[in-house]
Amino acid sequence: MSTEPGIESGTTHGTTHGTEPISLTTALATFDALWSPRIVTRVNDYDVRIAKVEGEHVWHVHADTDEFFLVLEGELHIHLREQAGERTVVLSKGAVFTVPRGTEHKPYAPTAASILMLEPAGTSTVGDRHDDIPEHVDATTGHALGS
């Protein structure tokens, strides 16, 4: 058994379900891929995902769900296309923001950052509608820790 909380001990498919504490710092150290989230736990039918990010993501929309962001390290900009026009929210370490369902958005990190996201299990990182997906963006529903 691992002595690192939530990495191997008490895990199912790389995620814990309330059986052991999870060190987000330790979990983030298990992967290097950018824009490729790892599922650290599940809350009801929602995935709690962490990701390392830098540069631009892709314009996309989640038609049926909000998307919650918490910046763990660094800074995250989220470009939004809303009925009132376009705007950008800037999130520093510790800041949270929820993109409302149906809002076209594009995350961007000017330098290396890490984020936590909360969204329904099975939600694609590139939403329901999106621009062409660049090579550096992983179109996924999340990966298990350790993968």
Side-chain angles (χ1 to χ4, degrees), residues 10-80:
T11 63
T12 304
H13 303 291
T15 63
T16 68
H17 296 280
T19 59
E20 297 291 333
I22 299 167
S23 165
L24 294 179
T25 301
T26 301
L28 283 161
T30 66
F31 66 98
D32 292 318
L34 298 175
W35 299 111
S36 184
R38 300 305 191 264
I39 301 167
V40 292
T41 192
R42 184 163 286 158
V43 178
N44 297 317
D45 296 332
Y46 282 74
D47 286 339
V48 178
R49 303 175 184 177
I50 55 172
K52 293 180 179 180
V53 298
E54 187 172 8
E56 293 189 344
H57 195 267
V58 62
W59 280 105
H60 65 283
V61 175
H62 301 281
D64 298 320
T65 186
D66 299 337
E67 187 171 18
F68 172 88
F69 293 89
L70 163 65
V71 176
L72 302 171
E73 290 292 334
E75 183 177 272
L76 182 70
H77 300 203
I78 304 175
H79 305 297
L80 303 164

Side-chain angles (χ1 to χ4, degrees), residues 77-143:
H77 300 203
I78 304 175
H79 305 297
L80 303 164
R81 290 180 177 156
E82 301 171 307
Q83 286 185 351
E86 290 192 21
R87 70 180 175 119
T88 300
V89 295
V90 177
L91 307 175
S92 56
K93 180 179 178 177
V96 300
F97 183 76
T98 301
V99 175
R101 73 186 71 207
T103 301
E104 193 172 11
H105 60 287
K106 179 173 75 170
Y108 165 75
T111 60
S114 57
I115 59 175
L116 181 145
M117 298 159 289
L118 179 69
E119 48 199 348
T123 299
S124 171
T125 57
V126 296
D128 308 308
R129 298 187 319 273
H130 52 77
D131 285 349
D132 290 338
I133 302 168
E135 193 172 304
H136 70 275
V137 172
D138 184 9
T140 181
T141 57
H143 301 283

